[in-house]
Amino acid sequence: MKNLTLPLSKDEIENLRAGDGVYLTGVILTARDCAHKRILSILQKGEKLPFEPEGAVIYYAGPCPAKPDKASGSCGPTTSARMESFAPVLLDLGLGAIIGKGEMNDATRKAITKNKSAYFAAIGGAGALYGNAIKKSECLAFPDLLSEAVYKLEVENFPVIVAYDCHGGSIY
């Protein structure tokens, strides 16, 4: 397993290969379907996003409410295919990586290669494990969406697998 600190440099991304196990430490953002629709709407209006996309890592997840002694509740990945119509747009804006579950389409894979990004697979059914890796959680945008809002998460030793690398490699 490789230990990487976010944000990732382009050199670090270029050294990743499909199948590599990675522990991520640093800041990731969450966004699911509803948040992505709003993000796309903001972009279409030419307005400023509530986060800087350059180098950011978006996790396709919606954190559950935290218990009193935790930063977050369970936070497992959702199916990445649901974000396929949004991913290439954000990758073209400089997104460093995305994290989700399952295969994605050719347009997303091509955008990952073109933009020297990465797609990390999180383990479905391991939401409690991911929740425990979250050390701090803050709602960044769209609080009315509740768990589907955009959250800024500070994570430590967040386990993922490189699903698609920037060289066209795939675990699928």
Side-chain angles (χ1 to χ4, degrees), residues 68-147:
D69 60 335
K70 297 284 187 177
S72 177
S74 180
C75 193
T78 195
T79 304
S80 299
R82 294 169 36 196
M83 267 51 78
E84 288 177 332
S85 61
F86 311 108
V89 173
L90 291 172
L91 289 161
D92 286 347
L93 290 175
L95 208 62
I98 49 180
I99 303 170
K101 175 177 74 173
E103 290 186 71
M104 296 191 78
N105 65 16
D106 286 337
T108 301
R109 288 193 301 269
K110 287 176 183 173
I112 288 166
T113 301
K114 177 179 99 174
N115 293 294
K116 301 235 180 268
S117 300
Y119 170 47
F120 296 110
I123 303 161
L129 172 75
Y130 290 113
N132 287 333
I134 298 167
K135 303 307 174 191
K136 186 175 177 186
S137 176
E138 170 191 355
C139 184
L140 207 59
F142 321 133
D144 60 303
L145 296 179
L146 305 173
S147 67

Side-chain angles (χ1 to χ4, degrees), residues 30-40 141-142 145 148-150:
T30 66
R32 288 179 47 133
D33 318 50
C34 292
H36 274 84
K37 287 177 188 171
R38 288 200 189 167
I39 290 165
L40 189 59
F142 321 133
L145 296 179
E148 291 205 27
V150 174

Side-chain angles (χ1 to χ4, degrees), residues 153-167:
L153 306 178
E154 290 182 21
V155 299
E156 186 177 302
N157 297 324
F158 191 91
V160 293
I161 298 166
V162 179
Y164 299 142
D165 63 37
C166 70
H167 308 286

